[in-house]
Structure formats: structure tokens, C-alpha cells
Amino acid sequence: MSTTIARRAADYDGRHVTVSADDGVPLAVRLFGAEDAPATVVFVHGHCLRTESWSFLRDQLLRQWGSDTRMVFYDHRGHGESGMADPSTYTIDQLGHDLDTVLRTVAPTGRLILVGHSMGAMVVLAYARLFPEAIGTRVVGVGLLAGAANGVTEVGLGRFLSRRAVISLQAAVTRAPRTMQASKRLSRRLFEPIIREANFGTRKVNPRIVALATAMLNDTSLLTMSSFLHSLITFDETATLHRLGTIPALVLAGSADIVIPFAHSVVLASQLASSELVRLEGAGHSVMLERADEVALSIVGLVERAFGAAGRGSEFAAAG
């Protein structure tokens, strides 16, 4: 009886695993689906979010796939249930190395599809540069949701970020972390309408979704939030995009995203030879929360395209 209950709990909440990063930071991972499933899809969340940001999408995909497709979710260092680290390691490159550690630990064999949202999409691009040998061999598809290859400070809310402002914020957080954290909680309450507008689009959104997104943002420490900003504003992986040209890609974003506007996705898709560009009208930055059903259908299509292409590639290799 207890085994049955545990199995049902694992089906609903996933199997919890802790992976040790290369510098010893514990990374919280949740696994869904059979270990011998033919496809493994790995989800990489955004800045100041956590595994729960995928919860509505995950429920949709579980209905579609059951245990036939394995899904891997994890929290970045400094986020969610993962451990804090030295702020000097709060960079997108380090997150690319953390992703590699997660893959080597919980999915050491078989083909993979990487799906990233916002900063998570940037991590996927950094991973492609850091581990080019994996692209087209182990990694057979990528999903870039509300992502960008560069220029996040040129349009959208990122225009208000400057190196001077980021340095000043980081210095203030380091000097008075408790005061700044209290200030953050107050500012979240005062500016919740702005947060809602930034993360969600023009359609009326379920209050549960707004509450979930706001709670995740509140749970992330100011030290984590501020320490990643420098890496975000200097991010540029345009030279990496050609590495992904040989595998299927999904580039998806909302038309009402004011954090990373849809123009970034147009640029991404134009430079990825095997990409599908999906524009969800009226959706905002938290597109996988707001329009989980539509995003799920696009990811299912990506998996079908990627594994079909991978199968054809194997046949061609065997014939050669």
C-alpha cells in the first residue's frame, strides 16, 4: 500500500534528487516519467523564478505524455530549493556548467531536448557554446521561450538597467542585506500592478497565476537577484546561434511581453535554420504560466520534430 502511495506521489510531485555542482553547491532536481523513456526534456527556468514556474505547463505535458517522456526540472543556484553560492558564481556561464552537471548526473545517456525560459533560454545558448560536442549528438532539439541572444538592455524593461545602476544596487545589497530585503518586500506590495503588467499580457489572467509568479519573485533573495544582473546585461550569444542550426528549435514568446519583447524572438528564429517561430497574441513574459496549454502543444510538436529528425539522422549515418 505504501509503495503505491509513494508511486502516486512521485507521479504528481516528481522524484526529488539533489545534485552537487562542480563547486559543491546543492542543486534541487525533480524528475518525472520513466527512466528508460525514449525522450528526456530538460526545463531551465528564468531569473528569480524556480521549478514551480513550470507547474501549469508540466501538468499539461503529463496529460499528453504520461510516463512515456521523461521530464527534468531543477532550481538554479540561489533559487528555489537549491543552495546559495558565492555571488561571484552568479553568472550565466556558471549556470551553463550547472546544467551540464545536472545532465551528466540524472540523464547521462540518451537524447535530450533543452527548454529554457527567459534567462533559462540564455543558459541553453551558453551551454551550446560551452559544450558544442553535445549539440546534434545528445541534444537534438531546443526550446527558447521569451528568450534573447543579446541586447536585453536595448528594448523593453531592460532599458532601465545600466552597469552603473547594477553596481550601485549590488553595493547596497552587500552593505545592508536585511534592510534591502525588507525594502524589497515593501516595494513588491507597492508595485504589484507593475509586476503583473510586466509578466503577463493583455488578457485577463487567473489570480492564482499572478499570486504564484509574485510569490516566486518574492522568495528569491535580493543578493541572488542583483548578482545575476551584470551577466544579464552583458549577455551576447549571437556567435553561438550557428551551432544550433542543425537541430530543430522552437522559438516562442508573447506579443505583449515588455520584459523581453517579441522582436528578440524574431531575431533568434531568423538565425536558426531549423526553427519554428510561435507568437502568442496578448501573452506576456510569463508565457508558460499564462498560456500553458498552447505552450505545451508547441513543445509536444518540438519533441516530435526533434526525435523524428534524430531518427532520420541515424538512418542516414547507418546507410553511409
Side-chain angles (χ1 to χ4, degrees):
M1 181 68 176
S2 60
T3 303
T4 302
I5 293 173
R7 187 181 299 115
R8 288 176 179 172
D11 289 344
Y12 177 77
D13 196 42
R15 185 163 64 91
H16 292 242
V17 175
T18 300
V19 170
S20 181
D22 53 14
D23 58 356
V25 175
L27 304 175
V29 182
R30 291 167 67 182
L31 308 172
F32 294 80
E35 290 190 15
D36 59 351
T40 297
V41 187
V42 182
F43 296 83
V44 190
H45 70 73
H47 183 229
C48 291
L49 299 178
R50 57 193 300 176
T51 291
E52 278 74 11
S53 65
W54 301 107
S55 57
F56 298 139
L57 176 65
R58 184 187 68 228
D59 290 346
Q60 293 283 341
L61 291 173
L62 282 171
R63 289 199 219 29
Q64 290 270 349
W65 289 332
S67 61
D68 294 336
T69 299
R70 194 167 186 237
M71 293 189 287
V72 176
F73 303 85
Y74 71 100
D75 291 332
H76 293 306
R77 57 179 57 215
H79 292 75
E81 297 179 359
S82 289
M84 302 295 287
D86 188 306
S88 66
T89 70
Y90 287 171
T91 67
I92 292 175
D93 268 19
Q94 179 60 57
L95 297 186
H97 285 287
D98 289 349
L99 171 57
D100 178 62
T101 300
V102 170
L103 297 180
R104 285 188 288 106
T105 306
V106 304
T109 60
R111 291 168 175 160
L112 307 165
I113 291 176
L114 307 180
V115 177
H117 168 251
S118 191
M119 184 177 76
M122 300 177 187
V123 173
V124 170
L125 294 178
Y127 174 86
R129 169 174 51 82
L130 294 167
F131 304 96
E133 69 283 355
I135 306 304
T137 53
R138 293 217 61 210
V139 177
V140 297
V142 293
L144 307 173
L145 314 183
N150 71 338
V152 296
T153 61
E154 294 175 5
V155 292
L157 288 183
R159 288 176 300 167
F160 298 103
L161 290 175
S162 68
R163 295 192 188 197
R164 180 179 297 177
V166 168
I167 291 170
S168 297
L169 175 61
Q170 290 171 338
V173 170
T174 302
R175 285 196 302 266
R178 290 184 180 178
T179 302
M180 291 296 291
Q181 192 64 34
S183 173
K184 178 188 174 186
R185 288 193 294 269
L186 175 61
S187 64
R188 287 295 185 195
R189 288 197 294 272
L190 292 175
F191 294 105
E192 185 170 345
I194 299 175
I195 295 170
R196 175 187 172 123
E197 182 180 351
N199 284 289
F200 301 100
T202 57
R203 295 186 180 183
K204 185 176 180 180
V205 179
N206 187 316
R208 288 193 309 116
I209 299 176
V210 178
L212 175 60
T214 304
M216 285 187 291
L217 290 165
N218 275 327
D219 284 345
T220 305
S221 75
L222 261 178
L223 183 62
T224 295
M225 182 274 286
S226 62
S227 297
F228 274 107
L229 289 178
H230 178 74
S231 192
L232 286 169
I233 66 175
T234 59
F235 179 79
D236 189 343
E237 291 288 355
T238 51
T240 302
L241 295 178
H242 75 279
R243 300 184 186 280
L244 299 171
T246 59
I247 62 174
L250 167 67
V251 181
L252 181 149
S255 66
D257 188 340
I258 64 173
V259 179
I260 299 182
F262 186 76
H264 281 292
S265 290
V266 174
V267 173
L268 274 175
S270 70
Q271 297 181 65
L272 296 172
S274 301
S275 68
E276 176 191 11
L277 177 62
V278 177
R279 172 186 169 108
L280 295 186
E281 293 297 330
H285 191 60
S286 294
V287 63
M288 71 291 184
L289 283 169
E290 187 181 351
R291 306 280 279 276
D293 53 344
E294 293 165 87
V295 177
L297 287 175
S298 291
I299 290 176
V300 169
L302 169 65
V303 172
E304 291 174 351
R305 284 197 298 132
F307 278 82
R312 288 193 297 275
S314 298
E315 290 168 10
F316 294 151

